[in-house]
């Protein structure tokens, strides 16, 4: 991958542009916190060729939400579960809205 390719991907929310140290610094947390939410399977960082964890902006937003919950006294395991459930609820609501639109337009198979 060339420097131009990498630069062009920095706008990609899923591009693993941040090292663990930089991610922890940006979130104002520790590397141990990032490891803990990784162990809880809230986020799965990609690995560099050398085996180092790399995080995307999307993953950092999830980690920031986990930190917010933990900062308010929620145990880390519970915070991770809450975020997973919030994500599942959002997806279910999106699918329901899609199905509703399809049935209102008279094409119920379009939602399937």
């Amino acid at each position: 991958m060339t420097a131009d390719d990498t630069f062009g991907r920095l706008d990609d929310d899923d591009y693993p542009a941040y090292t663990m140290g930089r991610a922890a610094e940006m979130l104002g947390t520790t590397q141990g916190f990032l490891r803990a939410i990784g162990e809880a399977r809230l986020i799965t960082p990609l690995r560099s060729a050398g085996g180092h964890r790399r995080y995307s902006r999307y993953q950092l937003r999830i980690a920031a939400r986990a930190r917010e919950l933990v900062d308010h006294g929620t145990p880390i395991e519970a915070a991770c579960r809450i975020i997973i459930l919030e994500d599942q609820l959002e997806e279910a609501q999106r699918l329901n809205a899609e199905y509703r639109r399809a049935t209102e337009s008279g094409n119920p198979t379009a939602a399937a």
Side-chain angles (χ1 to χ4, degrees), residues 97-112:
E98 222 175 80
Y99 182 74
R100 236 180 266 115
R101 281 191 299 275
T103 56
E104 288 170 359
S105 70
N107 187 8
T109 58

Side-chain angles (χ1 to χ4, degrees), residues 48-100:
S48 69
H52 300 282
R53 291 174 178 90
R54 305 285 296 191
Y55 297 89
S56 68
R57 287 190 309 207
Y58 174 74
Q59 290 172 324
L60 294 183
R61 283 195 300 274
I62 292 171
R65 174 71 175 126
R67 179 170 183 236
E68 177 185 341
L69 290 169
V70 169
D71 286 351
H72 284 91
T74 306
I76 197 162
E77 298 81 13
C80 291
R81 185 68 182 140
I82 288 168
I83 294 166
I84 290 166
L85 290 170
E86 287 173 342
D87 187 54
Q88 289 173 346
L89 175 60
E90 184 180 320
E91 177 67 7
Q93 289 172 332
R94 185 191 65 75
L95 290 171
N96 283 339
E98 222 175 80
Y99 182 74
R100 236 180 266 115

Side-chain angles (χ1 to χ4, degrees), residues 1-10 15-16:
M1 182 177 291
T2 67
D4 288 339
D5 292 338
T6 300
F7 182 73
R9 296 198 63 197
L10 292 178
Y15 181 68

